[in-house]
Structure formats: structure tokens, C-alpha cells
Amino acid sequence: MTEADTCREFVTPKLLAAGWGTSESVIGEQHSFTHGHRIIEIDYVAGTEREVDRYASPQELWQRLTQSTPIAESATAHLLEPFNLVSGKVPRYWQRIAIQRVIEAILLGQTRILATLATGTGKTCVAFQVCWKLWNSRWNRTGEYRRPKILFLADRNILVDDPRAKMFAPFGDARHKIAAGDVSQSRDMYFGIYQALSTSTEDVFRKYRPDFFEPAVKFGMTVTPLREESRDSYEYFGNAVYTYSL
């Protein structure tokens, strides 16, 4: 039998029987794992690997995840909100882990969150998917059924203009870049650089009321591991919830 025959006759029917064929679930095909007649389960929560006689159902896996992470039932929609794949870019495994860790920390009430990812490993992708999942599932810290207001901050125009025009394009008209002459307050997804929010002639940020971005969660990303020149970042945010280093 070919690999495709094995998938079609042995693997896919068992996945469908376990409940993975419903509209809420997705079966990804053609991943480079060695196929055979045994089912090996690798549990990243418990850190175990074992042979099992059947695939776990979506409900069983969700129950096991919620038992290990004390996330309220009301928050599950935010955690399970699908990635936005309009760009065709599927998050890599380290990006998926970072997104998951950040979302979990937010849902558990942490207000200062740090992720450390090496240069070129997709911090913009992580930021976009975190923002998308929370915005599209209408998460906000007040518990109201509405979309949150998000501020994307950086220290150079290229670091906000390029993501705003490309990666964050699915936000559509919700996007707005804050500038001295344009401080619109009717959008949801704001972009800005520190220098533009406070200039030598005007503190632009004062045009927004102090609670405009709610009692905000601060999510920071850096390429720099903990050392003397980056100590202030770690003192402010605490230890990184995820690190993907060179």
C-alpha cells in the first residue's frame, strides 16, 4: 500500500470516528511523519509519549488542556478562535506556541507579558495573530460583548507602516495610524511610534483619554535575552512567557 492508501483506509476513518470531521475541527494532511499501524500520542502538556489504541476526541483533548490550564469556560471562545490565514501564511510551530502562551496569559489575567523571539522568527506574525484572535472573538477586559481597542507601538515608522499595510490588512478600516494631525478615536486597531505620540511641541497621546485602551494588557516582544542593557524590559514585564532563541 502507498502512504496515501494507508491514510485513506486506516488513518482518516479513525480520525472521523473520533469526531474530527465536524465543521469545528480541521484535519491537516501531508505532514512529514512516518505512517504505520500504531498510534503514538505525544503529550506536550504532560511531557509523555505513549502508544494508544485510538485517537482522542476533540472534547477529550480540550478537557485535558483545561485541566492543566485554569482558564474559565467563558474564555474558551477566545483561546479557540482560529488563526487568520488570509495571507496564506500558516504560523510555524514556535509561533503557534508563542501565540498560545500569550493568549493563555491574557485570559488568566496577566497584565504585563513578554515574549522573546530571535530576529527573523516572525514577531509581527505573532503580534498579528494575538491581536486577531482577541479582536475577532470580541475579547476585552471589561467582559462586554465588543471588540477591544488595540495599540501597536514601535520605535520606527517602518516597524509600524509595513505591518499595518501588509500583515494587518485583514483588519480593514479598523486600522488607523496616530499622527499629530490625525488622532481619530473611532477605530479599533491603532498604530504609532513613540516619537509621534510625544513630540517637542505636543503630547499627542493626551488627545486620548487615559482609559481609551481600557485597563490595558501590555504585551511586549524583544529579540534580546536578559542581560544588562535589556534589564529594564524584564523588570517591567517580568520573565518571558516564551523564548525562541537562536
Side-chain angles (χ1 to χ4, degrees):
M1 296 181 69
T2 66
E3 184 177 352
D5 293 333
T6 301
C7 290
R8 183 176 60 254
E9 296 193 23
F10 293 103
V11 178
T12 302
K14 290 183 179 180
L15 285 171
L16 294 174
W20 290 98
T22 60
S23 59
E24 293 83 10
S25 305
V26 175
I27 298 176
E29 298 182 355
Q30 301 304 317
H31 288 279
S32 56
F33 291 100
T34 301
H35 284 286
H37 293 282
R38 297 188 301 159
I39 303 173
I40 306 299
E41 177 187 272
I42 301 174
D43 188 330
Y44 286 100
V45 174
T48 59
E49 180 177 330
R50 62 180 180 140
E51 182 175 349
V52 296
D53 58 5
R54 65 179 180 83
Y55 293 104
S57 69
Q59 291 74 25
E60 288 173 318
L61 291 182
W62 177 248
Q63 183 178 23
R64 284 155 63 177
L65 178 63
T66 53
Q67 286 175 344
S68 66
T69 305
I71 294 176
E73 186 68 26
S74 60
T76 58
H78 311 303
L79 191 65
L80 295 179
E81 177 68 27
F83 294 128
N84 183 296
L85 303 180
V86 171
S87 66
K89 294 183 178 180
V90 178
R92 301 298 183 94
Y93 76 87
W94 66 86
Q95 295 168 345
R96 293 198 302 268
I97 296 171
I99 295 163
Q100 186 84 359
R101 294 274 180 88
V102 172
I103 295 289
E104 286 180 1
I106 291 173
L107 296 180
L108 289 171
Q110 192 169 331
T111 57
R112 296 183 182 182
I113 302 162
L114 182 68
T116 303
L117 291 92
T119 299
T121 57
K123 290 185 293 298
T124 302
C125 173
V126 171
F128 166 68
Q129 295 293 354
V130 167
C131 292
W132 178 263
K133 284 167 74 74
L134 296 176
W135 184 79
N136 209 46
S137 64
R138 296 178 180 270
W139 173 88
N140 59 79
R141 288 190 66 194
T142 62
E144 301 173 47
Y145 185 71
R146 60 176 175 78
R147 301 188 192 279
K149 294 188 182 300
I150 302 170
L151 175 61
F152 184 104
L153 269 178
D155 60 358
R156 284 177 289 162
N157 276 309
I158 186 63
L159 297 180
V160 296
D161 291 343
D162 192 71
R164 176 177 176 268
K166 297 176 183 177
M167 185 74 73
F168 284 77
F171 281 92
D173 291 338
R175 295 168 297 166
H176 175 70
K177 184 178 179 183
I178 300 174
D182 191 356
V183 290
S184 171
Q185 301 187 17
S186 61
R187 311 294 180 88
D188 291 333
M189 186 74 225
Y190 294 82
F191 297 81
I193 60 172
Y194 300 102
Q195 299 92 323
L197 294 181
S198 182
T199 68
S200 59
T201 58
E202 182 183 15
D203 285 337
V204 177
F205 70 88
R206 297 190 188 278
K207 301 289 185 180
Y208 296 86
R209 65 180 187 276
D211 63 345
F212 184 78
F213 292 101
E214 307 170 30
V217 171
K218 290 92 171 177
F219 166 39
M221 285 191 290
T222 179
V223 302
T224 314
L226 177 57
R227 48 181 181 246
E228 193 57 40
E229 65 267 28
S230 64
R231 187 166 299 278
D232 287 347
S233 296
Y234 286 83
E235 287 179 354
Y236 182 82
F237 286 103
N239 292 330
V241 296
Y242 181 67
T243 298
Y244 187 72
S245 68
L246 289 175

